[in-house]
Amino acid sequence: MSNVSIELILCDVGGVLGTNGWDHDERIAASRKFGFDPDEFERRHQEAVDTWETGEMTMNEYLDFTLFNVPRSFARDDVIMFMRAQSVPHPDTVRLMQSLEAKRRWRMMTLNNESAELNAYRIDLFGLAPIFSAFLTSAYVAAQKPHGIFYDRALRIAHANPDRTVFIDDRPPNLVPAAERGLHTIHATGTDSIRAGLAALGVTEDDI
C-alpha cells in the first residue's frame, strides 16, 4: 500500500484517452487526401498553432491562415470533417477513468494542449463530461505544455496540492515540469501502464 494520498488526477487527452487530434501524422494524411503542399502547410501551421491552441485564434481563422489563404478545390467543411475523423477514443482507458470516477474518491480533470473547437468535440465524442469535473485545456488556460506556467495555472485553478496530485501523459517532456513542481507523474504507454502507475500511488478500481 502506498503512503501517498492522491486527491487529484490530471489526465492528458490525446495519446492517453484517445488518439491525437491534429498531430504531424494527421496533417500529413490530410495533405495526401486533399492534395495540398505538406511543407507549406506545415510551415504555416507552426506559425499559427501556438496562437490557435492558446485560444487566441478560432478554427476558421487557423484554416484561413494555414490552408485557405489561396483558392482551393476542396471545401472547408470537408477539411473540418477530416480533422474530426482523426479523433478515436481509447475505450479501455476511458473505462478505467469511468471506474475511478465511480469511486468518488478523487477529483479528476484533464490537462491537455488543444484548440477550443477540437477539445469540445473530443470531450463529447469520448464521453468525458461525466468523468472529469474540469477541462484544463491550453485554449482555456492560455498556456501550453510543457511550459511551466501551464502547470502553475492548472494547480491554482484546481486549488491542488502538488504532492497529492498525479499527472498522466504519453509524452515524457510534458511530465518533466510536473515532476519539478512536486506532482506525481505517470508515463502512459497504454491502459495497463496507467493502471499500474495509479495502483502504485494507491489509486485503484478495487475496494480497499
Side-chain angles (χ1 to χ4, degrees), residues 135-207:
F135 299 92
L136 306 178
T137 300
S138 61
Y140 308 151
V141 179
Q144 293 171 296
K145 298 177 296 184
H147 300 303
I149 193 171
F150 189 11
Y151 305 84
D152 294 336
R153 289 177 179 173
L155 288 169
R156 288 197 294 268
I157 291 168
H159 197 65
N161 187 331
D163 65 8
R164 296 193 173 188
T165 301
V166 57
F167 173 49
I168 305 164
D169 199 288
D170 64 311
R171 299 185 181 187
N174 290 338
L175 298 172
V176 173
E180 289 174 347
R181 284 157 174 77
L183 283 74
H184 303 275
T185 61
I186 296 173
H187 178 209
T189 57
T191 306
D192 289 343
S193 69
I194 298 169
R195 182 178 283 110
L198 288 171
L201 296 170
V203 179
T204 174
E205 301 162 274
D206 301 327
D207 290 323

Side-chain angles (χ1 to χ4, degrees), residues 75-151:
R76 177 189 306 266
D77 286 349
D78 291 336
V79 175
I80 293 174
M81 287 178 60
F82 179 88
M83 293 171 75
R84 289 178 171 178
Q86 307 316 300
S87 293
V88 180
H90 292 164
D92 289 346
T93 305
V94 173
R95 279 194 292 268
L96 170 60
M97 295 300 156
Q98 286 173 328
S99 296
L100 295 175
E101 191 280 331
K103 296 295 181 184
R104 299 292 196 271
R105 293 176 181 159
W106 309 279
R107 291 191 295 152
M108 300 176 64
M109 303 178 185
T110 63
L111 185 71
N112 66 317
N113 290 346
E114 195 101 77
S115 68
E117 297 93 339
L118 282 179
N119 190 66
Y121 175 77
R122 284 150 68 81
I123 288 169
D124 289 341
L125 180 67
F126 297 175
L128 304 183
I131 303 172
F132 297 95
S133 60
F135 299 92
L136 306 178
T137 300
S138 61
Y140 308 151
V141 179
Q144 293 171 296
K145 298 177 296 184
H147 300 303
I149 193 171
F150 189 11
Y151 305 84

